Amino acid sequence: MTHAQPEPSAQTPPERAEYAFEGRTVVVTGGGSGIGRATAHAFADEGARVLVVGRRTEALAETARHRPNIRCYGADLSEPDAPAAVVAEAVREFGGIDVLVNNAARLRPEPLGRIDDLDARTELRVNLLAPLFLTQEALPRLEAAKGTVVNVSTAGIGRGWAGHSVYGAAKTALDFLTRTWAVELAPRGIRVVGIAPGPVDTPLAERAGLGPDEVARLRARQSARVPLGRVGQPEEVARWAVELARPEAAFTTGLVLPVDGGASAVF
């Protein structure tokens, strides 16, 4: 005797594909280390073709090592011609763009009164204007793919952050862009989401000029302020870039997700 199978209800989630990104192209900026490298690896491990972009070509090559579906492109995203060059390279290598991860960041902490004009302008170009103009350049490709933009900002920037006014202002603005673009681009089939990492063990502090002892003290202070009692790992942030870009997340847009060990919940 056989029994008819029940019809799936409208609430049944779609079956999760093992390689949901196979045949899709992902562009990751700031892909030479930290969250960018982990994000590139996470997408590549799920079958995506990944273009990693950054200034340090040796670091990009290390990201791509042993992963034949990762390609590298050296570019300084603070330069005006970089967005067009990055999109052209993605099209040349893979034929289009399905997911754009705006992850590249620059941090030069200084209190008001000691902020250097050139450093401030470069911080704003890398942290805010590069995502803006790269996304704008990629729009035709993203629309053709019904793609997703993932902007990486910073958790807790709604509160004051002494010594980081330029960086914090740029990342606050990036969150605003995420929400605004989500509304603007929804009719074109493009989703826009954000990830706001808390303290994460990346080389960003070292590249900002902190020595090993200063970084160790910084990590200790950060861990003390995080409810989970530690800083995060790049892979823990990268996982959410992948999750938010999945086909199963097709009804999610305009979200900026804190991945911060609970730090943003502490008043």
Side-chain angles (χ1 to χ4, degrees):
M1 182 176 181
T2 60
H3 298 276
Q5 295 296 318
E7 291 291 326
S9 73
Q11 304 302 316
T12 302
E15 185 176 346
R16 188 186 182 96
E18 184 178 0
Y19 295 104
F21 294 96
E22 190 159 8
R24 300 188 183 190
T25 298
V26 180
V27 175
V28 181
T29 67
S33 63
I35 293 171
R37 175 176 289 178
T39 300
H41 287 174
F43 276 108
D45 290 347
E46 298 225 10
R49 305 171 301 188
V50 182
L51 181 70
V52 288
V53 180
R55 291 184 301 111
R56 299 174 301 125
T57 54
E58 298 87 353
L60 295 177
E62 182 61 26
T63 297
R65 192 158 64 96
H66 304 315
R67 285 179 165 85
N69 50 339
I70 296 181
R71 300 285 189 274
C72 307
Y73 186 66
D76 183 347
L77 292 170
S78 68
E79 295 295 330
D81 59 350
V86 169
V87 171
E89 182 68 10
V91 172
R92 187 185 73 81
E93 283 281 359
F94 301 124
I97 301 174
D98 295 273
V99 181
L100 171 61
V101 182
N102 288 310
N103 166 75
R106 178 182 170 92
L107 176 66
R108 291 295 183 270
E110 289 290 358
L112 189 64
R114 296 215 311 259
I115 296 174
D116 177 78
D117 180 81
L118 180 59
D119 279 345
R121 291 176 186 276
T122 304
E123 262 193 285
L124 289 171
R125 283 198 297 268
V126 172
N127 297 322
L128 178 61
L129 296 180
L132 191 162
F133 288 112
L134 181 54
T135 304
Q136 180 168 274
E137 187 71 31
L139 277 181
R141 305 296 173 174
L142 290 165
E143 184 172 12
K146 304 303 180 189
T148 304
V149 178
V150 182
N151 291 326
V152 181
S153 63
T154 298
I157 52 177
R159 300 187 291 272
W161 190 9
H164 297 79
S165 55
V166 177
Y167 180 84
K171 291 297 190 178
T172 300
L174 184 60
D175 284 349
F176 181 82
L177 293 184
T178 296
R179 298 183 178 101
T180 299
W181 292 348
V183 176
E184 288 183 357
L185 300 179
R188 300 172 69 171
I190 301 170
R191 296 189 301 115
V192 186
V193 293
I195 300 174
V200 177
D201 187 13
T202 75
L204 190 61
E206 288 91 333
R207 293 208 300 271
L210 274 63
D213 292 342
E214 293 174 298
V215 171
R217 289 193 292 271
L218 172 65
R219 295 286 183 253
R221 292 196 303 270
Q222 290 172 331
S223 297
R225 293 198 295 266
V226 173
L228 289 182
R230 64 176 178 86
V231 299
Q233 295 302 309
E235 293 77 13
E236 294 175 301
V237 179
R239 179 220 168 115
W240 288 104
V242 173
E243 293 300 318
L244 289 172
R246 286 187 183 280
E248 296 94 325
F251 199 54
T252 301
T253 195
L255 171 72
V256 178
L257 177 70
V259 184
D260 62 0
S264 58
V266 179
F267 294 95

